[in-house]
C-alpha cells in the first residue's frame, strides 16, 4: 500500500514547471557516482551518462513504468573491469559485462517460471529490514570520506565546513519549507553548498576548490559513445569475447543480483508498494540485466539501481516514474552536451558528502521502519541472531573471495554477502515453536 504522505505516486506526472527541477534533483544525486566509475576504470564519462540515461529508460519500459528506479554505473564491477581490461583489453571486459547482463535475464526467466513464493520464505521482514539498514550504513563511510577528507586523503576542516553547510541547508529545507519547495530540498541543499563554496573561495584561498577549467575545455556537442585513442582518433569500443572474461563477470554478477534484491526491497519499503509482486522481481531483474548488456554494447560501465536516488525519494516523497524518466532524459542530453556535463562535474566533493550524509541515513532509517512496522520480536533469539550477523557482516565489511582465472580475485562482500548469509540463516535456523504458534 502506498504511503499516505506521498506527494506524487509512481504513475503521477507533475506539471512541466515542477517536473524539470524534480528530475534535475535526481541527476545531481546520481552524477558523482556515475562518472566516478569510468574515471576509475579508464572508460568515458560521457558514455557512462549516455548508457545510464538510456539504461534507465530501458528499465522503465521493461518494468511497465511501475518502478521509480534510476540506474547508474555499478561500483561492484570495478575490479573485473580493471582486471580483465588490463589482462585482455577493455573490449573483452565489455564482452564479459554484456554476458553478465544476459545472465541476469536467465535468472529472471527462472524466477518467472519458478514463482516468487520462495523469496517470501527466504526474505522475511527480519532479513529485509536488516539488509536495508546495511545498504544505508555500508554507504556511510563514503559520505563521511567525501565530507571530511580531501583528494590526498587528509582531514580537511574546509571540507567539513562545506559539508556541514550543505547538510544544514538541506535539513532546513526539508523541515521548514512547504509545498513544492519542500520536494526540492536535496537540490536546494546542493545549490546552497555550491554557492557557499564559491563565495568563500573569493575571500579564502583554501575554499577555492571549484575549477571551471573542464567547462571551458569541454565541447558543446559530441557523440558520447565514441572513444578517443592516444592519436586522438574516434572509435567505437565493440565488445569482444573470451571464456575467462565471461566467467569472471558472470560470477561477479551473482553478488550484484543479491544487491538488486536488496535495492528492490528498499524501494518497495520507501514507496509503499510490493515491487516483488507487481511488476514482479523477474521484470525488475530483467530490466537491470538488459540495461547492463546495453551499456556494455556501447562501451559503458555496467548499470545498477542507485541508492542515492532511493534516498531522494525517501526524503521528498516524490515517487513518480515520470520524474525518474525525466532524469534519464536529462542525463542523455548531458551526455551529448558536454559543457553542461562538465559544469555538473564541478560540484565539490564535500557538497556531495553533506547531501549523502542525509540520503544514506534515510535508507538505513527505512530499514528500521520496516522492522518496527513488522513487529519483529527481538526477544526471540532467532531474530536477534539473524539481525546481528547481517549487520556485522554488512557494515563491518565481511568478505568472501577466491581466485578466478588469471590475475583476478572474485569477491563477495558487504551488502551482497550479508544478504546471502541472512537468507541462509533464515532457512536453516529453527523457528521458536512458542512464537510460531
Amino acid at each position: 500500500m502506498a504511503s499516505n504522505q506521498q506527494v506524487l505516486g509512481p504513475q503521477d506526472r507533475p506539471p512541466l514547471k515542477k517536473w524539470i527541477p524534480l528530475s534535475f534533483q535526481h541527476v545531481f544525486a546520481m552524477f558523482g557516482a556515475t562518472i566516478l566509475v569510468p574515471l576509475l576504470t579508464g572508460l568515458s564519462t560521457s558514455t557512462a551518462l549516455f548508457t545510464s540515461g538510456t539504461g534507465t529508460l530501458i528499465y522503465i519500459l521493461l518494468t511497465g513504468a511501475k518502478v521509480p528506479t534510476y540506474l547508474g554505473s555499478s561500483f561492484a564491477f570495478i575490479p573485473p573491469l580493471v582486471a580483465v581490461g588490463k589482462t585482455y583489453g577493455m573490449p573483452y571486459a565489455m564482452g564479459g559485462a554484456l554476458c553478465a547482463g544476459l545472465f541476469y535475464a536467465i535468472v529472471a526467466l527462472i524466477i518467472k517460471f519458478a514463482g516468487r513464493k520462495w523469496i517470501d520464505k527466504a526474505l522475511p521482514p527480519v532479513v529485509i529490514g536488516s539488509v536495508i539498514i546495511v545498504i544505508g550504513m555500508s554507504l556511510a563511510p563514503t559520505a563521511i570520506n567525501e565530507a571530511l577528507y580531501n583528494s590526498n586523503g587528509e582531514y580537511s576542516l574546509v571540507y567539513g565546513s562545506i559539508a556541514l553547510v550543505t547538510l544544514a541547508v538541506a535539513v532546513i529545507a526539508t523541515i521548514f519549507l512547504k509545498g513544492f519547495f519542500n520536494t526540492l530540498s536535496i537540490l536546494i541543499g546542493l545549490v546552497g553548498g555550491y554557492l557557499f563554496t564559491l563565495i568563500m573561495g573569493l575571500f579564502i584561498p583554501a575554499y577555492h576548490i571549484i575549477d571551471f577549467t573542464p567547462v571551458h575545455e569541454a565541447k558543446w556537442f559530441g557523440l558520447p559513445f565514441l572513444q578517443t585513442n592516444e592519436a586522438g582518433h574516434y572509435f567505437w569500443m565493440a565488445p569482444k569475447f573470451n571464456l575467462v572474461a565471461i566467467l569472471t563477470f558472470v560470477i561477479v554478477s551473482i553478488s550484484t543480483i543479491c544487491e538488486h534484491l536488496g535495492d528492490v526491497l528498499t524501494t518497495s519499503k520507501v514507496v509503499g508498494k510490493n515491487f516483488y509482486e507487481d511488476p514482479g522481481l523477474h521484470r525488475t531483474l530483467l530490466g537491470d540485466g538488459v540495461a547492463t548488456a546495453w551499456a556494455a554494447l556501447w562501451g559503458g560501465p555496467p548499470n545498477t539501481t542507485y541508492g542515492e536516488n532511493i534516498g531522494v525519494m525517501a526524503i521528498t516523497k516524490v515517487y513518480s516514474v515520470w520524474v525518474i524518466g525525466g532524469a534519464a532524459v536529462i542525463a542523455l542530453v548531458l551526455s551529448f552536451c558536454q559543457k553542461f556535463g562538465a559544469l555538473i562535474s564541478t560540484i565539490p566533493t564535500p557538497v556531495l558528502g553533506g547531501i549523502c550524509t542525509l540520503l544514506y541515513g534515510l535508507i538505513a532509517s527505512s530499514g528500521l521502519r520496516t522492522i518496527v512496522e513488522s513487529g519483529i520480536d527481538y526477544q526471540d533469539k532467532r531474530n536477534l541472531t539473524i539481525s546481528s550477523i547481517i549487520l556485522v557482516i554488512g557494515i563491518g565489511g565481511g568478505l568472501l573471495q577466491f581466485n578466478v582465472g588469471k590475475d583476478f580475485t572474485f569477491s563477495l562482500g558487504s551488502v551482497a554477502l550479508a544478504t546471502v548469509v541472512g537468507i541462509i540463516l533464515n532457512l536453516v535456523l529453527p523457528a521458536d515453536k512458542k512464537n510460531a504458534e
Side-chain angles (χ1 to χ4, degrees):
M1 194 175 228
S3 169
N4 291 328
Q5 296 180 337
Q6 69 179 13
V7 176
L8 289 172
Q11 271 66 58
D12 294 338
R13 180 171 61 179
L16 191 62
K17 63 181 180 180
K18 295 183 178 180
W19 188 356
I20 293 175
L22 286 171
S23 293
F24 257 111
Q25 189 165 238
H26 280 280
V27 173
F28 282 114
M30 70 82 187
F31 194 88
T34 293
I35 67 169
L36 182 57
V37 174
L39 288 174
L40 294 174
T41 57
L43 296 172
S44 165
T45 54
S46 293
T47 305
L49 279 177
F50 173 76
T51 55
S52 170
T54 52
T56 300
L57 293 175
I58 289 171
Y59 183 91
I60 290 172
L61 177 66
L62 292 179
T63 55
K66 293 182 177 181
V67 188
T69 296
Y70 192 91
L71 271 62
S73 305
S74 171
F75 279 80
F77 283 101
I78 290 177
L81 283 171
V82 173
V84 173
K86 182 179 178 181
T87 306
Y88 301 102
M90 195 55 76
Y92 287 97
M94 293 298 101
L98 193 152
C99 291
L102 297 179
F103 179 69
Y104 270 66
I106 293 171
V107 175
L109 194 64
I110 293 171
I111 291 173
K112 176 176 173 58
F113 290 104
R116 50 170 292 275
K117 287 186 178 179
W118 59 273
I119 295 176
D120 295 330
K121 184 178 179 181
L123 291 164
V126 66
V127 175
I128 292 172
S130 300
V131 167
I132 294 173
I133 292 171
V134 165
I135 290 174
M137 289 296 93
S138 64
L139 292 168
T142 301
I144 297 303
N145 285 334
E146 289 178 339
L148 298 179
Y149 297 91
N150 61 27
S151 57
N152 296 321
E154 300 168 342
Y155 174 81
S156 171
L157 193 58
V158 169
Y159 271 44
S161 64
I162 293 171
L164 183 60
V165 168
T166 303
L167 178 60
V169 173
V171 169
I172 290 170
T174 300
I175 302 299
F176 295 104
L177 293 184
K178 304 297 181 183
F180 175 62
F181 289 105
N182 180 263
T183 65
L184 294 178
S185 56
I186 300 301
L187 183 58
I188 291 170
L190 282 166
V191 173
Y194 193 96
L195 291 176
F196 171 78
T197 308
L198 203 60
I199 293 169
M200 293 294 289
L202 297 176
F203 304 99
I204 304 174
Y207 283 87
H208 189 64
I209 59 176
I210 298 178
D211 182 11
F212 290 106
T213 303
V215 181
H216 295 303
E217 293 179 347
K219 297 178 180 177
W220 278 105
F221 177 81
L223 295 176
F225 42 79
L226 292 182
Q227 318 279 330
T228 54
N229 57 24
E230 294 178 358
H233 298 140
Y234 291 98
F235 69 97
W236 170 48
M237 190 186 294
K240 295 181 179 180
F241 304 91
N242 73 25
L243 186 58
V244 173
I246 291 171
L247 288 176
T248 298
F249 274 85
V250 168
I251 291 173
V252 172
S253 71
I254 295 172
S255 66
T256 58
I257 286 173
C258 292
E259 290 181 343
H260 177 91
L261 294 176
D263 284 339
V264 174
L265 286 170
T266 306
T267 305
S268 296
K269 290 300 175 181
V270 167
V271 176
K273 291 183 177 291
N274 188 348
F275 294 127
Y276 271 17
E277 184 176 319
D278 183 23
L281 181 60
H282 62 286
R283 292 184 69 174
T284 66
L285 196 58
L286 178 65
D288 204 341
V290 172
T292 289
W294 168 264
L297 186 64
W298 295 101
N303 281 319
T304 189
T305 51
Y306 257 31
E308 291 89 338
N309 298 84
I310 297 173
V312 171
M313 290 192 298
I315 196 169
T316 63
K317 308 296 182 184
V318 174
Y319 312 135
S320 172
V321 174
W322 291 92
V323 170
I324 297 293
V329 172
I330 292 171
L332 180 59
V333 171
L334 290 177
S335 72
F336 286 91
C337 304
Q338 295 178 3
K339 275 195 181 295
F340 289 106
L343 180 62
I344 293 180
S345 70
T346 64
I347 297 175
T349 301
V351 171
L352 295 174
I355 286 297
C356 288
T357 299
L358 179 59
L359 295 184
Y360 298 160
L362 283 166
I363 295 173
S365 296
S366 69
L368 289 173
R369 188 182 71 184
T370 298
I371 289 172
V372 171
E373 291 179 352
S374 300
I376 301 300
D377 180 13
Y378 276 111
Q379 290 186 339
D380 182 348
K381 292 181 181 179
R382 182 180 184 274
N383 291 333
L384 192 63
T385 299
I386 292 172
S387 277
S388 300
I389 294 176
I390 290 174
L391 292 173
V392 171
I393 290 176
I395 299 173
L399 182 66
L400 171 67
Q401 65 179 25
F402 50 87
N403 293 329
V404 179
K406 183 181 178 183
D407 300 327
F408 176 70
T409 301
F410 165 71
S411 297
L412 183 68
S414 191
V415 177
L417 182 60
T419 304
V420 172
V421 171
I423 291 171
I424 293 172
L425 288 174
N426 177 65
L427 293 176
V428 301
L429 292 180
D432 188 323
K433 288 182 181 178
K434 258 186 202 177
N435 292 324
E437 287 174 356

